[in-house]
Amino acid sequence: MRYIVGVVALGTAVVTGALATTAQATTPPVTTASPVAVVTPAADHAPARSAGLYAPTALVLTVGQGEHRADAAVQRAVTLSCAPTASGTHPLPGTACNRLRAVGGEFDRVTRTDGTTVCTREWDPVVVTADGVWQGRRVAYAHTFANSCELRSAANTVFAF
């Protein structure tokens, strides 16, 4: 009988000690220098993230070999963000953002050829794409050039990477 009482007492002491240790670990420390109680917000009550002053602008630009977006083999890809400042992996993010702002984000105006460059008439298609968001508006753009010479003659800095 003494053995059973001893085992129950020992088990109660172990459980009580474990609960006390857990309670101490989850209670935030109280400093004596500050009379203000420490309050930790719950995870589901985290403050909402501010939308900011700028409309989101983040693009992924690609250049690939092929006739259509679906079957083109991507050769190069960069990221471009224009708000609040120009950034990304694009080699000239500031110039590319300025060019897009100048045409109001209309990618058809960026991919027009200037007509002054003489290119061969070979058919070796190059596809450029722009996917993401431009000033809060969803963008999914693709344009096929007959060859890489025509891409260079478009006189743009957006797809010059």
Side-chain angles (χ1 to χ4, degrees):
M1 179 86 162
R2 277 189 192 169
Y3 177 74
I4 294 174
V5 173
V7 170
V8 171
L10 180 63
T12 305
V14 170
V15 170
T16 305
L19 289 176
T21 305
T22 306
Q24 288 175 351
T26 59
T27 305
V30 179
T31 59
T32 56
S34 173
V36 179
V38 177
V39 179
T40 56
D44 58 341
H45 297 297
R49 189 173 157 195
S50 171
L53 299 174
Y54 303 97
T57 298
L59 299 165
V60 175
L61 308 172
T62 66
V63 175
Q65 196 69 37
E67 214 170 311
H68 304 287
R69 171 197 287 257
D71 61 4
V74 176
Q75 295 173 329
R76 298 179 303 276
V78 296
T79 59
L80 180 65
S81 178
C82 295
T85 59
S87 63
T89 59
H90 195 287
L92 299 169
T95 308
C97 288
N98 289 339
R99 176 71 176 130
L100 283 170
R101 283 188 198 104
V103 296
E106 294 179 30
F107 284 90
D108 283 331
R109 292 178 60 188
V110 171
T111 55
R112 286 185 191 153
T113 56
D114 62 6
T116 59
T117 306
V118 178
C119 293
T120 60
R121 293 193 167 261
E122 69 180 309
W123 181 249
D124 189 17
V126 177
V127 176
V128 295
T129 65
D131 290 297
V133 179
W134 172 257
Q135 295 183 345
R137 181 179 45 109
R138 174 77 176 105
V139 173
Y141 177 80
H143 181 80
T144 303
F145 292 97
N147 53 47
S148 58
C149 178
E150 283 194 9
L151 169 62
R152 286 189 305 275
S153 74
N156 70 70
T157 55
V158 176
F159 293 103
F161 53 87

